[in-house]
Amino acid sequence: MIAPASPADADARRRRRSRPPSGRTSLWKSRGALAAYVFILPYVLFFLVFRIAPALFAGVLSLGDWSLGGEFEFTGLDNYARLAEDDLFWNALRVTAVYTAIAIPLTIAMALAMAQLCNRMLRGMSFYRSIFFLPVVTSPVLSGIVWVWIFSPDGALNWSLDLFGVPSTNWLQSSFWVLPALALVSAWSNFGYDMLILLAGMLAIPQEYYEASHLDGAGPWQRFRHVTLPLLKPALFFVLVLETIRSFQVFDTIYVMTAGGPVRSSYSLTYLIYDQGFGYFEFGYASAAGVVLLLITLVFSLVQRRLIGKE
């Protein structure tokens, strides 16, 4: 006579029946992984072909002299030594630093103000969010042409200032005002994207924090300073790094509006790379300047992460 199974044995058999075979589990896992790889493969290929490969090729070009005929002559670090002795490079570096110091605070301040304005449950707010984002999807060339007219001596800006008795200024032909004018155009073009990032961060903040601070007697400014800003730190760090990279790599606005003038007052590093590479066909020298720009951007991003983005 067969002894009846114990409750423990019955539970063990039930678990074995309900558990799928290990081979089937690994098969489904592999299929899911394969599907994920298929979906991300186009972006990975695009990134490798149009980002990584040109960067590596530029690093190779910076160590030699490449003619239009395709002949490459290895020269070592001669291009970097030439950069260190070139006054044009140091002027471009100074212009880039000044432009970045103006554009980053201006863009982030505009984005933060607009995000705070859009973080309200008002009628038609989705329409205003779309309007604020419109400059992001506008062609930089078209925007530059419009802003050239705005900053012209007979443009809309000088006409508006004349109403208040302020004398007219040729903004884009002034060595002092050209970089602030370009920074304003850049802030107008980019603040919409940063605004969406900051707005998403604001919407993720629990309302309990605002309610508690309101019960403690905190006003709107105090709630913004002690609740919004600290909890918005990750989004602010991302926007700061993004704007740093954009400011160091600014080109289209300068190309359309000033072409590096007047007297190289807006001759940035990226414009130097373009000018030396496609104007004078100094591809090795331009590549060396591009490598230096990459290193500068990387160092600034790491410093920013060290100071404010460590968390």
Side-chain angles (χ1 to χ4, degrees):
M1 185 175 63
I2 300 176
S6 64
D9 295 336
D11 291 340
R13 285 197 299 268
R14 191 181 304 112
R15 286 194 297 268
R16 284 196 298 269
R17 285 196 301 268
S18 61
R19 184 187 308 161
S22 59
R24 187 182 302 175
T25 303
S26 60
L27 179 63
W28 280 110
K29 286 183 178 180
S30 63
R31 288 179 178 176
L34 181 61
Y37 294 147
V38 170
F39 277 109
I40 68 174
L41 183 61
Y43 178 79
V44 172
L45 292 177
F46 182 88
F47 187 78
L48 290 175
V49 173
F50 294 100
R51 291 286 186 175
I52 301 299
L56 296 177
F57 186 59
V60 174
L61 283 183
S62 67
L63 300 176
D65 184 17
W66 189 51
S67 65
L68 288 177
E71 299 178 357
F72 179 77
E73 180 183 356
F74 181 77
T75 59
L77 300 178
D78 289 350
N79 288 322
Y80 295 96
R82 180 182 167 189
L83 279 177
E85 299 174 356
D86 192 355
D87 293 335
L88 186 62
F89 167 75
W90 291 107
N91 174 74
L93 184 60
R94 179 191 61 82
V95 168
T96 304
V98 174
Y99 172 85
T100 301
I102 300 174
I104 291 178
L106 183 60
T107 306
I108 294 180
M110 289 179 60
L112 191 59
M114 293 298 103
Q116 182 69 11
L117 180 63
C118 292
N119 189 22
R120 299 174 182 273
M121 301 302 294
L122 299 177
R123 185 177 182 181
M125 186 53 66
S126 58
F127 170 77
Y128 291 107
R129 293 175 184 174
S130 302
I131 292 297
F132 292 153
F133 190 76
L134 187 61
V136 178
V137 297
T138 303
S139 168
V141 176
L142 178 60
S143 301
I145 294 174
V146 173
W147 280 98
V148 166
W149 170 76
I150 293 175
F151 284 121
S152 64
D154 299 328
L157 181 58
N158 282 326
W159 179 82
S160 301
L161 294 176
D162 286 340
L163 298 178
F164 299 95
V166 179
S168 300
T169 302
N170 195 346
W171 303 92
L172 299 181
Q173 296 301 319
S174 171
S175 299
F176 179 80
W177 289 111
V178 63
L179 289 181
L182 292 174
L184 178 62
V185 176
S186 177
W188 175 83
S189 301
N190 298 325
F191 86 92
Y193 183 79
D194 298 339
M195 178 199 70
L196 289 184
I197 297 175
L198 296 177
L199 180 60
M202 291 180 179
L203 294 176
I205 299 176
Q207 292 297 318
E208 290 79 4
Y209 292 107
Y210 293 106
E211 295 173 358
S213 60
H214 180 70
L215 293 176
D216 290 338
W221 168 249
Q222 292 175 323
R223 290 196 297 270
F224 176 77
R225 179 182 177 185
H226 297 289
V227 177
T228 303
L229 285 181
L231 297 177
L232 203 60
K233 191 176 179 180
L236 280 172
F237 169 69
F238 178 77
V239 168
L240 179 60
V241 174
L242 186 66
E243 288 305 320
T244 300
I245 296 174
R246 281 177 176 171
S247 298
F248 275 114
Q249 297 180 353
V250 60
F251 172 76
D252 43 16
T253 304
I254 294 176
Y255 179 80
V256 174
M257 297 183 64
T258 64
V263 291
R264 302 192 190 279
S265 297
S266 60
Y267 197 80
S268 65
L269 274 176
T270 49
Y271 200 87
L272 178 142
I273 295 170
Y274 163 79
D275 195 27
Q276 295 298 317
F278 297 98
Y280 298 98
F281 303 107
E282 295 279 353
F283 295 110
Y285 186 66
S287 299
V291 172
V292 172
L293 177 60
L294 172 64
L295 294 177
I296 292 174
T297 307
L298 179 62
V299 169
F300 267 82
S301 300
L302 292 177
V303 170
Q304 290 170 346
R305 183 183 184 278
R306 179 74 176 179
L307 294 178
I308 65 173
K310 193 173 182 180
E311 299 177 0

